[in-house]
Amino acid sequence: MRHRVLLILWLVTDLLGFLKSYMLAYFIKVGWIFSTDLPLKQFLIAVMIAAVPWLLALATTRTFSLTRSQGTVRNLIYIIYACVMGAAFVTLAHYFLFGTLFSRLLLIEAAAISMVATFIWHIIFEWILRISLNKNPASFPTLIVGLTRESRALIKTLKEKKSPLCPVGIIVPEGTSEKEIEGVPMLGKLPKLEEALQKMGITHVIQAS
């Protein structure tokens, strides 16, 4: 439930950010007045209509995946792609609704502002997600199966980076004398797997042996 609320909040704040980016570009272009050549009301209607397909374009790149790292170059490219599409949607919406085109400079400024604003906001929201999803009880309790050098490093990385995939237990098929790794308890051998899945509400299993 928590992750669904966060996802809805993310979508809504992205839509608001898109609208605010275009409003800022509008006032930068025409000054802090209401232009009669490009009425703000008409401009905002076009932007609000275009915001929906812009968000869909962004969603098709899986940018809203709760486990994705938002600060990567790859993610920036996806955001740039969506914002270019958003600018095209605004232009088309304004033309078909009101039969006019507006300044290309305004369009470029709005697209650039929306790119920067969206990228920065996604990085900030990623940390909000990681903190919120890791609060007890974890939204995505993860079971690690196997105890190797790689699985130890994985558990440490997941804990340090506050990954949405929160390790809550370790199953070691061959058994071990260790009680925990990085605060994650050992649950026993492979026969304990089904019991752990049921009792701990496991959503993800990572095979690391």
Side-chain angles (χ1 to χ4, degrees):
M1 180 62 181
R2 190 191 315 163
H3 65 278
R4 292 189 181 93
V5 172
L6 287 167
L7 182 57
I8 292 171
L9 178 63
W10 196 358
L11 296 173
V12 170
T13 53
D14 263 23
L15 283 173
L16 292 175
F18 184 78
L19 294 174
K20 288 180 179 179
S21 295
Y22 276 76
M23 285 186 66
L24 178 60
Y26 175 90
F27 287 115
I28 289 175
K29 177 60 181 174
V30 305
W32 299 98
I33 57 173
F34 295 104
S35 172
T36 53
D37 295 327
L38 177 60
L40 178 61
K41 182 179 178 180
Q42 291 184 6
F43 182 70
L44 282 181
I45 289 173
V47 173
M48 285 188 287
I49 292 173
V52 176
W54 167 78
L55 197 65
L56 291 174
L58 200 56
T60 59
T61 65
R62 293 184 57 81
T63 299
F64 297 108
S65 172
L66 298 179
T67 57
R68 168 170 283 183
S69 178
Q70 296 294 322
T72 63
V73 173
R74 180 182 180 183
N75 207 58
L76 175 59
I77 292 171
Y78 287 149
I79 289 173
I80 291 173
Y81 154 77
C83 289
V84 170
M85 294 294 291
F89 293 142
V90 171
T91 303
L92 289 171
H94 197 277
Y95 179 76
F96 282 110
L97 286 172
F98 307 111
T100 59
L101 297 174
F102 50 85
S103 168
R104 285 174 292 180
L105 180 59
L106 169 57
L107 199 62
I108 293 170
E109 289 176 346
I113 292 171
S114 65
M115 288 173 194
V116 174
T118 302
F119 185 59
I120 292 174
W121 173 240
H122 277 215
I123 292 173
I124 294 171
F125 202 82
E126 178 186 1
W127 284 104
I128 296 173
L129 280 173
R130 289 177 183 271
I131 293 171
S132 299
L133 294 177
N134 273 279
K135 286 184 176 180
N136 191 32
S139 294
F140 299 116
T142 302
L143 183 67
I144 308 295
V145 179
L147 186 60
T148 62
R149 182 175 60 185
E150 290 76 18
S151 65
R152 291 174 187 271
L154 174 63
I155 292 168
K156 184 177 181 180
T157 299
L158 292 176
K159 298 286 282 186
E160 287 181 348
K161 294 191 174 181
K162 297 186 181 298
S163 170
L165 301 181
C166 182
V168 295
I170 305 169
I171 293 289
V172 185
E174 64 277 11
T176 179
S177 60
E178 296 184 71
K179 299 298 182 183
E180 62 177 40
I181 300 292
E182 299 289 336
V184 182
M186 298 293 179
L187 302 179
K189 296 184 179 181
L190 206 54
K192 291 284 187 179
L193 178 60
E194 187 175 351
E195 180 184 346
L197 292 175
Q198 293 176 350
K199 286 187 175 181
M200 304 182 77
I202 301 297
T203 60
H204 293 76
V205 176
I206 299 177
Q207 172 66 36
S209 60

